[in-house]
């Protein structure tokens, strides 16, 4: 499956953005999906994940209550809704797909989209 992340941009603190991860080649329904980010000078971190059926979701504490992952299998797209953005959310955001929810191995990565939170 090929993934393309989009929707990044410049937003003021407290604002919102919705990132999209569009899949092609195979249906996203076959994959559990995660969103990651990497800030300058920092390691990549997983923000959250959603199971194939959307029955299982998980978020890292730093975004819990502010970020929401959802998926529209009919549109072959996964979303990351980000609310109440903070300057420390500035990073390149990536989506990734895997076939085993408990695994750390991902079969595909999107190319990343830059989110900048600044006034």
């Amino acid at each position: 499956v090929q993934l393309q992340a989009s929707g990044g941009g410049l937003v003021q603190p407290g604002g919102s953005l919705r990132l999209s991860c569009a899949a092609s080649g195979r249906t996203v329904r076959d994959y559990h999906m995660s969103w990651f980010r990497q800030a300058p000078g920092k390691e990549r971190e997983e923000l959250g994940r959603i199971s194939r059926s959307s029955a299982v979701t998980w978020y890292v504490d730093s975004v819990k209550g502010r970020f929401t992952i959802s998926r529209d299998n009919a549109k072959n797209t996964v979303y990351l809704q980000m609310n109440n953005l903070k300057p420390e959310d500035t990073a390149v955001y990536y989506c990734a797909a895997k076939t085993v929810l408990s695994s750390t191995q991902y079969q595909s990565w999107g190319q990343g989209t830059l989110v900048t939170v600044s006034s």
Side-chain angles (χ1 to χ4, degrees):
V1 64
Q2 290 79 48
L3 303 174
Q4 181 158 356
S6 62
L10 175 64
V11 62
Q12 293 187 342
S16 297
L17 275 178
R18 188 178 77 160
L19 306 184
S20 298
C21 176
S24 61
R26 290 191 63 174
T27 175
V28 74
R29 182 182 295 112
D30 292 339
Y31 298 90
H32 309 291
M33 300 295 295
S34 292
W35 282 95
F36 289 78
R37 70 184 177 190
Q38 187 166 20
K42 294 188 177 181
E43 293 187 354
R44 185 175 60 197
E45 65 169 337
E46 185 180 12
L47 302 177
R49 66 183 76 115
I50 186 168
S51 63
R52 290 190 189 98
S53 65
S54 302
V56 176
T57 57
W58 169 87
Y59 299 93
V60 70
D61 285 347
S62 59
V63 307
K64 200 175 295 182
R66 298 190 299 124
F67 290 11
T68 302
I69 299 175
S70 62
R71 62 192 302 158
D72 187 338
N73 288 338
K75 294 184 177 179
N76 227 21
T77 302
V78 178
Y79 304 97
L80 178 65
Q81 177 67 44
M82 305 186 293
N83 299 327
N84 190 23
L85 283 160
K86 305 174 181 180
E88 52 264 41
D89 294 319
T90 295
V92 178
Y93 285 69
Y94 301 88
C95 55
K98 61 183 177 181
T99 54
V100 179
L101 187 60
S102 59
S103 172
T104 58
Q105 300 299 313
Y106 289 83
Q107 281 67 53
S108 184
W109 290 83
Q111 85 288 3
T113 185
L114 177 62
V115 173
T116 303
V117 184
S118 175
S119 55

